[in-house]
Amino acid sequence: MPTHRSKRVTKGSRSRRRQVFPLVLIGSGLIVLAVLVFMLLPKSSEAAKSQEPASFSSVVPVPVDYPAPDLTLTDLQGNPVSLSDYAGQVALVNNWAIWCPPCKAEMPVLQDYFDDHKIEGLTIIGVEAGAPVVDVQAFVEQYGLTFPVWPDQSSKALVAFRNNSLPSSYVLDRSGQVRYAWTGAISREMLEKYVTPLLEE
């Protein structure tokens, strides 16, 4: 009799082990899965940051030093306008397009910076590459832009500055020299760091 009882106990232990083993595997799998999710979360966060608008992310400008190109266009009212009209001011020329997402994202940043510094002799000139005048006017009204915007259906500005990338921006000092060049969206932080000191010269 003791022998049969020990055999039953042994069989019961084996049965319990068989039931516990799958549970151990499932538990281990869940732990591994949780670790993988935790490791992937920072990467997902970084990917999200890379898609943030221009006000949160900005390229750093390249210092340059050359005379502003001879660029003449017409404004939204059909009047002839030139970069030379802004001699004595610090001018930021922004080449953009209405279809360009980063261009749209940086427009509120440019408008806010213009509002805060125009009294110091700052002007921002937005040169739209390619769209009909009526579409550019609608964009200006939608975004509430108050700085000069020039339609440029022939892309003369892109040729003049020798850069087809959008957005791209150039900062002219009061003497008409191009001092900084950006290719990509600009943040308020970068504007304050690089453009504001030129207003104080």
Side-chain angles (χ1 to χ4, degrees):
M1 291 296 292
T3 304
H4 292 301
R5 195 180 303 118
S6 63
K7 287 181 180 178
R8 281 197 297 270
V9 170
T10 303
K11 288 180 181 177
S13 299
R14 287 176 183 170
S15 177
R16 281 194 295 272
R17 284 184 197 138
R18 288 194 194 100
Q19 291 173 356
V20 170
F21 186 66
L23 295 176
V24 171
L25 285 178
I26 293 171
S28 301
L30 289 174
I31 291 171
V32 171
L33 183 61
V35 171
L36 287 174
V37 169
F38 179 78
M39 291 175 65
L40 289 172
L41 277 176
K43 293 180 182 178
S44 299
S45 178
E46 288 172 11
K49 286 181 183 177
S50 68
Q51 297 175 2
E52 286 176 346
S55 57
F56 297 96
S57 179
S58 174
V59 292
V60 176
V62 177
V64 295
D65 187 11
Y66 59 87
D70 182 15
L71 178 64
T72 299
L73 295 167
T74 55
D75 62 18
L76 290 170
Q77 290 71 45
N79 303 311
V81 284
S82 301
L83 292 183
S84 58
D85 297 340
Y86 296 90
Q89 297 187 51
V90 173
L92 187 151
V93 180
N94 176 248
N95 290 325
W96 64 283
I98 61 175
W99 50 262
C100 165
C103 301
K104 295 178 182 180
E106 73 177 352
M107 281 299 167
V109 176
L110 296 177
Q111 181 61 53
D112 288 345
Y113 186 73
F114 175 69
D115 288 340
D116 291 344
H117 292 282
K118 60 186 176 182
I119 195 171
E120 301 165 49
L122 169 76
T123 190
I124 293 177
I125 303 168
V127 183
E128 200 287 333
V133 174
V134 63
D135 293 340
V136 179
Q137 181 65 56
F139 184 98
V140 167
E141 293 172 2
Q142 179 185 353
Y143 279 76
L145 304 181
T146 59
F147 53 78
V149 174
W150 302 349
D152 183 14
Q153 291 180 283
S154 299
S155 299
K156 291 181 180 178
L158 299 181
V159 173
F161 285 101
R162 300 179 182 180
N163 186 356
N164 290 324
S165 298
L166 297 174
S168 58
S169 299
Y170 304 87
V171 182
L172 286 57
D173 66 17
R174 297 184 192 276
S175 68
Q177 287 288 110
V178 182
R179 298 280 294 276
Y180 292 107
W182 267 279
T183 297
I186 308 174
S187 69
R188 178 62 182 257
E189 180 186 3
M190 292 294 104
L191 290 169
E192 294 290 0
K193 183 174 181 179
Y194 293 98
V195 181
T196 302
L198 296 181
L199 295 169
E200 300 167 356
E201 291 183 355

